[in-house]
Amino acid sequence: MTAVQLFVTCLIDSFFPQTGEAAVDILRRLGVRVEFPYEQTCCGQPTFNAGLRRDARAIAEHTIKVFEKTEGDIVTPSGSCAHMFRHNYPELFEGDSSWIPRAQALAARTYEFTEYLVDKLGVTDVGARWNGKLTYHPSCHTLRGIKVDRQPRALLSNVRGAILVELPHAEECCGFGGVMSVEHPELSAEWLKRKIRNFEETNAPTLVVTDAGCLMHIAGGLHRQKKTQRVMHIAEILNHK
Amino acid sequence: MSATSFRQRIRQSIEDENLQVALDNNAERRLKGRAAAFQSIRDLEERRQRARSIRADVIERLDQYLDQFIAKNKENGVIVHRAKDAHEAVQIVLDIAKSISNYQSSKLRVAKSKSMVSEEIELNHALEKAGIEVVETDLGEYIVQLRHERPSHLIAPAVHLKKEQVGELFHEKLGVPYTADIPTLTAVARKVLREVFLTADVGFSGVNFGVAETGGVCIVTNEGNARMVTTIPPVHIALMGMERLVPNLDDLSLMLSLLPRSATGQKLTVYTQLLHKPLVGKQRHLVLLDNGRARLRNSPLKESLYCIRCGACLNACPVFRELGGHAYIGGDLSIAPYPGPIGSVISPGLLGENYVQLAQASSLCGACKEVCPVDIDLPRLLTRVRAGQSPSADDQPSNAAGGAGLSSSTKLFLRLFARAASHPRLFALSQKFASLGTFLLAPRSDWARLPAFTGWGYSKDFPRFAAKTFRERYKDKLANQPPRQTLRQTESFKAVPPIDHSITLPLPEVQFAQELTALGGHVVFTHHPTRSVIEFLNLRGVKKICLEPHTLDENLLRQEGVEFTYEPDAQAVVGVTKARCGLADTGSILVAAGAGHPLEASLLPEVHIAVLKTADILPSLSDALPFVGDKSAAVFITGPSRTADIEMALTIGVHGPKEIYVFLVS
């Protein structure tokens, strides 16, 4: 079986390495060979979303070259980076006949982590255990960008011992939005307040996300407000015994 | 500087508690209403995609459709004008006004129904400067006009105001006693504006759709003011963005199944008018506006021209929910004519650089795209505006380097980041430095408290970089680990069984009655409509009615002492017309121009009675539209006149009839 290439994302690489390890662990437990191309950096999303396309393109070209040296599916524990590969790379190279096929080839190989487990491997139970209540925040780019929602929910529903509580207004953005959270902090703060309020309403101590961007945003807000609740990436929940 | 002012405006909006309550209400109720209305449509996604491809085709072949539309209108006796820009459009309207005989002798009065395009060209201001009185007649627009404000929402202009504020405004400007009772306030507006409709020299309206094949101009309103301005004054001017076309009546019917559901959660707007020819003895002008649309069409923002102005993206947008329409400001502090996600694309798209900063105020969460009835990829268009791809007047990309509207510090940071991210060694090195940096900032915690000016520090703490990055940890311990066991194929979860849609529908007349009754209309089943009408009139003590010819047994009316007139009569309390057909799925009736004045008889009186044969009840709008293609003017009426312009409270009887009775004859 060909190996799976892990695109770990710059946020997980830099801030939450344990999330990346959990993803590797789960995949290997399921018999998947995992490789990690060391030259990878970032998908370029911050620059693309800010409108700095020339800069985004430099990063995208780099990323494409790195993964062209490998074979097999690319798995990334981030809905927004998967969205970047799938929808924004083709946009970035539009009209460039030499790069478009290369961008499309990359997009065709790319899966978000839970999507890969459920749709590609056909696994909805990874044998995880958790004690207590969990609530799920569907990240915007996972839910609406690449339309992945039933997959993480199916995986969570099979976590033994976990009590899943629905997050009120779950589909609302947490206010991260990449550069928006620094360019328009006032807006970002309002949504964050609302997201935390809704989270608290569930009485669950743990919020599950599929994207490290939402994670650092919501967790950062909780820490600022001196709350004790946690935000965890789904890979870590699914790797918990 | 301008970005700072924009942020100040955002802060003002957020701190305005009244506004926040109103906007939360708007978001929650509108979205709920929308979702409920779409439950009656089974093939929503298919319809959306069809609607999208229709709009795409129109924009692709716009010139061809415009030629067809204009030729048809000329044939229909409509005077067609084309305006290259705002200035030309204003001049055309002024010239029409000046050609009216009493322009010199007295102050000309224009009764205006809601038109976002007129906001775009700042028409009111120009007309007032020329000494012409302009009165907005949509309740919400009237309120914001009295306050000298711009509308704050595409379809709910006064969404930012509380009823108490409206009460004070009416007390101050109209001299009525203060009240915060919404029906009373609405009644005040009805009375004041009725006078305006009856005395206006010109009626002015926007256009929702133009139908290329028939030349039809479709205008939808709930209050009935667009019916007034197109029916009562001697001259009607319709101003239309030149992209607002559909090829034919089938396409119109599809659009009308999406527009009101998306906008207000209604299956059909109360008054859906289709105008072809000018009314007898009256004049109709059609002004087609470019004002940057041709340019936009040849730009990467082309898709924004598919928009049908339903406002759903505003209701779904978390940015709009904090800002309201008045905080979307340009570099020159002017309020953008179009707010919300679509506004952050078309305001810079049509009006240029001044408004590009709006596009940065978005998390690209995609809620707008999801509710868009024509599936416009708004997040993508926003990133294109940010990339400097909005067209400017001299056809040069406005900001070739990109990062339009971005602060210079963020831009610099991202540039440096991009350099590092395209060079893996530099990237790894930067990670080390950043890690060291956050360790110095927060030696004893996983979180660093950054100052508010950094943006991030405004409301959240920043995670400390990991001591060892994933790549290092992977190299150390994971790189050579093999898979631990073979693939365990577990049972994939069960698919949800498809919903059974094979519900048997009730008889058409029963469905019709159910729908109309749900809207506050009344249905009377009768074998003898004239007798039933006479009974009704006796009960109400009404002696005189406006009547459409050949509707009731006129001899019997005379015998029973009921006076009737075919002429429009502003004093009549009851108007009786035929319903050419009924629509089972929406409870609508069709009233069409013909002998007498049925359009006025179904509009001016407080009570409208329509006589409908059960055999004339059709399943839905698409079945009925083919019959109106040749009518000079027709209106589908769906319930009594209504508004929700003050605090979203549903209030019946604004400009049109307060009561509608359908006498159903089997």
PDB file of all heavy atoms in Angstrom, chain B residues 37 250 297 355 395 431-432 463 504 541 553:
ATOM      1  N   ALA B  37     -39.513  28.870   5.047  1.00  0.00           N
ATOM      2  CA  ALA B  37     -40.107  29.067   3.721  1.00  0.00           C
ATOM      3  C   ALA B  37     -39.561  28.066   2.709  1.00  0.00           C
ATOM      4  O   ALA B  37     -40.275  27.647   1.797  1.00  0.00           O
ATOM      5  CB  ALA B  37     -39.845  30.493   3.241  1.00  0.00           C
ATOM      6  N   ASP B 250     -40.598  31.767 -17.634  1.00  0.00           N
ATOM      7  CA  ASP B 250     -40.260  30.570 -16.849  1.00  0.00           C
ATOM      8  C   ASP B 250     -39.131  30.879 -15.873  1.00  0.00           C
ATOM      9  O   ASP B 250     -39.161  30.468 -14.712  1.00  0.00           O
ATOM     10  CB  ASP B 250     -39.776  29.438 -17.768  1.00  0.00           C
ATOM     11  CG  ASP B 250     -40.950  28.700 -18.378  1.00  0.00           C
ATOM     12  OD1 ASP B 250     -42.076  28.879 -17.865  1.00  0.00           O
ATOM     13  OD2 ASP B 250     -40.739  27.983 -19.375  1.00  0.00           O
ATOM     14  N   ARG B 297     -18.493  43.510 -15.263  1.00  0.00           N
ATOM     15  CA  ARG B 297     -18.748  42.303 -16.043  1.00  0.00           C
ATOM     16  C   ARG B 297     -17.463  41.761 -16.676  1.00  0.00           C
ATOM     17  O   ARG B 297     -17.336  40.563 -16.895  1.00  0.00           O
ATOM     18  CB  ARG B 297     -19.767  42.655 -17.123  1.00  0.00           C
ATOM     19  CG  ARG B 297     -20.271  41.504 -17.910  1.00  0.00           C
ATOM     20  CD  ARG B 297     -21.413  41.952 -18.800  1.00  0.00           C
ATOM     21  NE  ARG B 297     -21.560  40.997 -19.863  1.00  0.00           N
ATOM     22  CZ  ARG B 297     -21.215  41.230 -21.118  1.00  0.00           C
ATOM     23  NH1 ARG B 297     -20.734  42.404 -21.470  1.00  0.00           N
ATOM     24  NH2 ARG B 297     -21.365  40.287 -22.013  1.00  0.00           N
ATOM     25  N   TYR B 355     -13.986  51.905  -1.422  1.00  0.00           N
ATOM     26  CA  TYR B 355     -14.668  50.931  -0.571  1.00  0.00           C
ATOM     27  C   TYR B 355     -13.943  49.595  -0.430  1.00  0.00           C
ATOM     28  O   TYR B 355     -14.497  48.660   0.142  1.00  0.00           O
ATOM     29  CB  TYR B 355     -16.093  50.689  -1.089  1.00  0.00           C
ATOM     30  CG  TYR B 355     -16.967  51.912  -1.008  1.00  0.00           C
ATOM     31  CD1 TYR B 355     -17.371  52.578  -2.160  1.00  0.00           C
ATOM     32  CD2 TYR B 355     -17.381  52.410   0.223  1.00  0.00           C
ATOM     33  CE1 TYR B 355     -18.171  53.713  -2.092  1.00  0.00           C
ATOM     34  CE2 TYR B 355     -18.179  53.546   0.307  1.00  0.00           C
ATOM     35  CZ  TYR B 355     -18.573  54.191  -0.854  1.00  0.00           C
ATOM     36  OH  TYR B 355     -19.345  55.307  -0.768  1.00  0.00           O
ATOM     37  N   ASP B 395      -9.750  51.303 -15.826  1.00  0.00           N
ATOM     38  CA  ASP B 395      -9.514  49.932 -16.278  1.00  0.00           C
ATOM     39  C   ASP B 395      -8.187  49.350 -15.830  1.00  0.00           C
ATOM     40  O   ASP B 395      -7.749  48.334 -16.343  1.00  0.00           O
ATOM     41  CB  ASP B 395      -9.652  49.799 -17.805  1.00  0.00           C
ATOM     42  CG  ASP B 395     -11.116  49.847 -18.206  1.00  0.00           C
ATOM     43  OD1 ASP B 395     -11.958  49.407 -17.396  1.00  0.00           O
ATOM     44  OD2 ASP B 395     -11.422  50.335 -19.309  1.00  0.00           O
ATOM     45  N   GLN B 431      10.634  29.497  13.148  1.00  0.00           N
ATOM     46  CA  GLN B 431       9.895  28.828  14.218  1.00  0.00           C
ATOM     47  C   GLN B 431      10.692  28.872  15.514  1.00  0.00           C
ATOM     48  O   GLN B 431      10.175  29.141  16.581  1.00  0.00           O
ATOM     49  CB  GLN B 431       9.606  27.375  13.841  1.00  0.00           C
ATOM     50  CG  GLN B 431       8.463  27.206  12.854  1.00  0.00           C
ATOM     51  CD  GLN B 431       8.263  25.758  12.472  1.00  0.00           C
ATOM     52  OE1 GLN B 431       9.227  25.036  12.221  1.00  0.00           O
ATOM     53  NE2 GLN B 431       7.016  25.321  12.432  1.00  0.00           N
ATOM     54  N   LYS B 432      12.006  28.641  15.401  1.00  0.00           N
ATOM     55  CA  LYS B 432      12.871  28.650  16.586  1.00  0.00           C
ATOM     56  C   LYS B 432      12.874  30.038  17.244  1.00  0.00           C
ATOM     57  O   LYS B 432      12.734  30.184  18.443  1.00  0.00           O
ATOM     58  CB  LYS B 432      14.309  28.255  16.199  1.00  0.00           C
ATOM     59  CG  LYS B 432      14.493  26.808  15.827  1.00  0.00           C
ATOM     60  CD  LYS B 432      14.677  25.919  17.047  1.00  0.00           C
ATOM     61  CE  LYS B 432      13.348  25.335  17.469  1.00  0.00           C
ATOM     62  NZ  LYS B 432      13.309  24.518  18.638  1.00  0.00           N
ATOM     63  N   PRO B 463      -1.066  31.484  22.082  1.00  0.00           N
ATOM     64  CA  PRO B 463      -0.407  30.270  22.536  1.00  0.00           C
ATOM     65  C   PRO B 463       1.114  30.385  22.392  1.00  0.00           C
ATOM     66  O   PRO B 463       1.601  30.962  21.415  1.00  0.00           O
ATOM     67  CB  PRO B 463      -0.959  29.188  21.603  1.00  0.00           C
ATOM     68  CG  PRO B 463      -1.386  29.906  20.378  1.00  0.00           C
ATOM     69  CD  PRO B 463      -1.810  31.271  20.824  1.00  0.00           C
ATOM     70  N   THR B 504     -49.785  13.309  -0.142  1.00  0.00           N
ATOM     71  CA  THR B 504     -50.864  13.673  -1.043  1.00  0.00           C
ATOM     72  C   THR B 504     -51.316  15.089  -0.719  1.00  0.00           C
ATOM     73  O   THR B 504     -51.508  15.442   0.439  1.00  0.00           O
ATOM     74  CB  THR B 504     -52.050  12.707  -0.901  1.00  0.00           C
ATOM     75  OG1 THR B 504     -52.219  12.426   0.480  1.00  0.00           O
ATOM     76  CG2 THR B 504     -51.822  11.439  -1.676  1.00  0.00           C
ATOM     77  N   GLY B 541     -72.162  47.865   6.345  1.00  0.00           N
ATOM     78  CA  GLY B 541     -72.800  49.170   6.170  1.00  0.00           C
ATOM     79  C   GLY B 541     -72.192  49.978   5.029  1.00  0.00           C
ATOM     80  O   GLY B 541     -72.115  51.188   5.080  1.00  0.00           O
ATOM     81  N   ASP B 553     -73.261  40.625 -10.836  1.00  0.00           N
ATOM     82  CA  ASP B 553     -74.559  40.876 -11.477  1.00  0.00           C
ATOM     83  C   ASP B 553     -74.964  42.313 -11.144  1.00  0.00           C
ATOM     84  O   ASP B 553     -75.442  42.621 -10.044  1.00  0.00           O
ATOM     85  CB  ASP B 553     -75.573  39.861 -10.923  1.00  0.00           C
ATOM     86  CG  ASP B 553     -76.959  40.070 -11.523  1.00  0.00           C
ATOM     87  OD1 ASP B 553     -77.193  41.145 -12.134  1.00  0.00           O
ATOM     88  OD2 ASP B 553     -77.783  39.165 -11.371  1.00  0.00           O
TER      89      ASP B 553
END
